[in-house]
Amino acid sequence: MQLTLFVNPEHPPTDPLATRLAEHVEQVSLARAAGYDGVTIGTHMNYGSAAWFPPFPTLAHLAPAAAGMTLSTCMLVLPYHHPVHVATEAAFLDVLTGGRFTLGVSAGWAHDEFALLGLDRRERVGRFAESLDLITRLWTQERVSFDGHHYQVRDAALALRPVRKPRPPLWLGGSVNRSVERAAEQADTAVGDTWVASSHLVEPVIVEQTEVFWNRLAALGKPRPADFPLLRNIVVAEDRATALRDAVPYLQASYRVFDRWGLFTDVVGDPDAADDVPELLAGRVVIGSPEDCAEQLVALARATGCTRLVARVQWMGMDQRTVCRTIELLGQQVRPMVEHALR
């Protein structure tokens, strides 16, 4: 099982943000030393109760510490950005990494963020589809004209192009069955495109949605992607009691913000989960000793066929020592146990 570190650039706005950015560099360096082969970053709008570092500049800042590793977004909310801008920024990161960038994108869900940008949330799927089409054309075609409902481009040619040929792969987000089917329809699995399940959903739902993805690919005559990542929340400590003590307050703080944005009512469909610790953790967080976590990940890998764990190991306000402990234990102890069990 391959490992990608999910950098969670979400911090209390009163924190010393330059220090937090330096801590992310340390996290990436530890992950590289522990055998991770990828770094990805989550994104939301930077406003209100949480300061989010912007994805493309942050990845560029982390790139020296991640030398030789893949970089990716997981996920960039595509309707928030003009597709020409995204195509250019992503192409630069692909150049910076020597062809090791993956663009992870989703249609978004947070009502407040769409309102902040003056966007009609009901148009998010249409904007997403047009953006995806235009970005891949700009990467692969010499000149592009595009006449969509939301975006129009006339005879455009990107001078800054990706190194990867024919283009960088895509990670496509989706949290309901129809969006998972849509990901299968939009993905070119032959070049590495795939769907990535939301970390906010419980494991039975993820297993069900994985089958939806496989079945839709089969119906379309598309091969399964060679690399199938799964994004999971994970906290590893010497024992489960320590993991719970060190992580639960920060998990709850982050999820309370998401709850105010409508995550549990609009996406997860479980409005009580944010305030109920057992409900929040069950099937949503891999947590415990290395042995506990390995057992949970083996079961998940067997149920889904995932080949890569995208490990979200930090939540707003969490102590750096707790984050680094999970990074190291996951790479040095948990992964070898998982790989041995899956042989």
Side-chain angles (χ1 to χ4, degrees):
M1 179 177 286
Q2 299 298 309
L3 281 178
T4 291
L5 174 67
F6 180 100
V7 171
N8 185 39
E10 171 202 20
H11 302 285
T14 55
D15 273 11
L17 296 181
T19 300
R20 298 294 166 258
L21 186 59
E23 288 174 349
H24 289 311
V25 174
E26 180 187 11
Q27 293 164 16
V28 170
S29 298
L30 283 175
R32 183 168 176 253
Y36 293 60
D37 72 330
V39 175
T40 195
I41 192 166
T43 67
H44 277 287
M45 294 297 297
N46 174 33
Y47 76 104
S49 59
W52 286 79
F53 294 149
F56 293 130
T58 304
L59 284 175
H61 182 77
L62 297 175
M69 304 169 78
T70 62
L71 297 182
S72 59
T73 54
C74 187
M75 300 287 178
L76 183 75
V77 183
L78 207 46
Y80 298 168
H81 308 274
H82 195 285
V84 175
H85 174 75
V86 174
T88 303
E89 295 286 336
F92 172 74
L93 286 173
D94 198 60
V95 171
L96 182 66
T97 59
R100 293 188 296 273
F101 179 71
T102 297
L103 180 63
V105 289
S106 70
W109 52 268
H111 290 268
D112 288 356
E113 293 185 339
F114 281 96
L116 179 68
L117 294 170
L119 297 173
D120 187 340
R121 185 177 179 274
R122 294 170 297 182
E123 296 178 345
R124 67 191 187 281
V125 173
R127 286 183 178 274
F128 177 80
E130 285 190 17
S131 291
L132 206 58
D133 189 8
L134 181 51
I135 289 165
T136 55
R137 291 192 198 187
L138 287 166
W139 281 345
T140 58
Q141 298 176 13
E142 290 300 321
R143 308 197 76 83
V144 176
S145 291
F146 187 89
D147 187 20
H149 179 70
H150 303 286
Y151 305 105
Q152 296 80 39
V153 168
R154 296 286 178 268
D155 199 29
L158 279 191
L160 175 59
R161 306 284 288 275
V163 172
R164 183 91 63 100
K165 300 302 178 188
R167 59 167 175 78
L170 301 168
W171 285 355
L172 304 170
S175 300
V176 298
N177 284 3
R178 179 58 195 126
S179 64
V180 176
E181 291 178 336
R182 192 180 300 115
E185 294 158 6
Q186 293 165 327
D188 184 348
T189 52
V191 301
D193 296 352
T194 189
W195 162 72
V196 180
S198 169
S199 65
H200 305 310
L201 299 177
V202 295
E203 291 173 11
V205 174
I206 290 173
V207 172
E208 175 191 337
Q209 290 186 348
T210 300
E211 286 301 312
V212 170
F213 184 61
W214 295 146
N215 291 340
R216 188 62 183 141
L217 286 179
L220 294 167
K222 295 182 179 182
R224 292 189 179 189
D227 188 20
F228 184 50
L230 194 61
L231 173 60
R232 289 281 81 192
N233 304 312
I234 183 162
V235 183
V236 192
E238 56 268 27
D239 54 62
R240 182 174 173 82
T242 301
L244 291 170
R245 181 199 67 207
D246 291 348
V248 165
Y250 306 105
L251 281 158
Q252 286 187 299
S254 285
Y255 273 109
R256 284 192 187 107
V257 173
F258 290 149
D259 187 35
R260 289 197 297 271
W261 290 352
L263 172 68
F264 288 99
T265 53
D266 297 343
V267 179
V268 175
D270 189 356
D272 298 324
D275 295 317
D276 187 330
V277 172
E279 182 78 11
L280 177 64
L281 297 180
R284 194 173 280 115
V285 183
V286 176
I287 190 166
S289 68
E291 293 78 10
D292 294 333
C293 292
E295 182 179 357
Q296 295 170 62
L297 290 171
V298 167
L300 197 54
R302 286 174 174 160
T304 63
C306 69
T307 61
R308 173 181 301 279
L309 174 65
V310 182
R312 178 176 182 168
V313 300
Q314 181 177 12
W315 291 267
M316 187 166 64
M318 180 177 276
D319 185 81
Q320 174 76 345
R321 291 170 297 179
T322 301
V323 178
C324 293
R325 181 186 64 202
T326 290
I327 292 171
E328 292 185 312
L329 289 175
L330 181 58
Q332 296 170 359
Q333 295 189 32
V334 177
R335 181 169 66 169
M337 286 189 278
V338 171
E339 291 178 339
H340 178 76
L342 292 176
R343 285 179 190 153

